[in-house]
Amino acid sequence: MKVEIYSDIACPWCYLGKRRFEQALDRFPGKADVEVVYRPYQLVPDAPASASPHRAWLADRYGPQSVAMDDRVTELGRAEGVAFDFDTALHVNTFLGHRLLHLAETEYGAPAQSRLKELLLKAHFSDGVDVGDRAELTELAVAAGLDRDRAAGYLAGEEGAAEVRARLAEARELGISAVPTFVFEGRWAVQGGQEADTFLRVLEQVAADTAAESAAPAEAHGCTDGACAV
């Protein structure tokens, strides 16, 4: 089973969704046969390349309610073992990070990409790291198991940029407008950082449906705009 997770590095619900999905996957009997890959999505594609305080940016965008928004996510994070620190978090463009995730997947494999994704999310939300800084990204790449020289050279140029832009366009074409969005087998989509129990039920249902289809002629599924409800 292939699961493609469309998410952004600067998305707290993507962090929560990742943690909850992994909890479900650990409980799923068919875990060994599940391939998980991360697809790029940018909530703020026009974010600046220079970092600024997250709190100030969010207040400017959402007003007084921004503090309550952060507080709610922080409380939910505690239950999942995620330590959000929005006082030190930085608002910055995430395109470079998505390029690095593309490198991890294509040259090191899905497990390395997943390790890097976790490190990027933690760096951004817990450690106050500027995930738009090439030097910081290189260190995270090395921690995830990527070669230092390869990562640094890759980030210094434009390699992978066209591929990531194509993936971002693909997400729009699929009708994805919010993240995280989990796409199972390229056909079924589940949106949001659902509870682990919900993800487990989805995994079980997709596994059952695909097993049934392998034993009988496939039937048409009612899907529109590239997304299907489970």
Side-chain angles (χ1 to χ4, degrees), residues 46-147:
D46 60 350
S50 298
S52 62
H54 159 84
R55 290 283 202 190
W57 170 78
L58 200 68
D60 183 62
R61 183 162 185 168
Y62 294 106
Q65 66 176 327
S66 63
V67 175
M69 291 167 61
D70 281 348
D71 288 348
R72 177 171 179 252
V73 171
T74 300
E75 183 178 352
L76 290 171
R78 291 193 191 100
E80 307 298 341
V82 175
F84 286 105
D85 185 354
F86 290 108
D87 288 330
T88 62
L90 299 170
H91 174 62
V92 70
N93 197 290
T94 58
F95 188 78
L96 278 175
H98 286 301
R99 279 182 56 210
L100 194 60
L101 286 165
H102 174 74
L103 172 67
E105 181 204 356
T106 55
E107 295 191 10
Y108 295 85
Q113 189 198 38
S114 183
R115 291 194 301 271
L116 178 60
K117 182 72 170 184
E118 179 71 22
L119 289 169
L120 284 166
L121 289 166
K122 182 178 182 296
H124 177 69
F125 285 111
S126 303
D127 302 333
V129 172
D130 178 359
V131 294
D133 181 85
R134 287 173 170 81
E136 296 282 12
L137 287 172
T138 298
E139 294 304 319
L140 293 171
V142 173
L146 280 63
D147 178 77

Side-chain angles (χ1 to χ4, degrees), residues 143-155:
L146 280 63
D147 178 77
R148 178 182 297 277
D149 290 340
R150 175 64 177 131
Y154 178 91
L155 290 169

Side-chain angles (χ1 to χ4, degrees), residues 12-59:
W13 280 99
C14 293
Y15 202 174
L16 289 172
K18 180 180 187 295
R19 193 56 60 85
R20 290 171 173 177
F21 179 77
E22 288 172 345
Q23 292 170 8
L25 195 57
D26 284 340
R27 295 159 54 192
F28 179 57
K31 176 183 177 179
D33 297 320
V34 178
E35 179 189 12
V36 179
V37 294
Y38 288 88
R39 300 301 185 206
Y41 189 95
Q42 287 193 286
L43 288 169
V44 189
D46 60 350
S50 298
S52 62
H54 159 84
R55 290 283 202 190
W57 170 78
L58 200 68

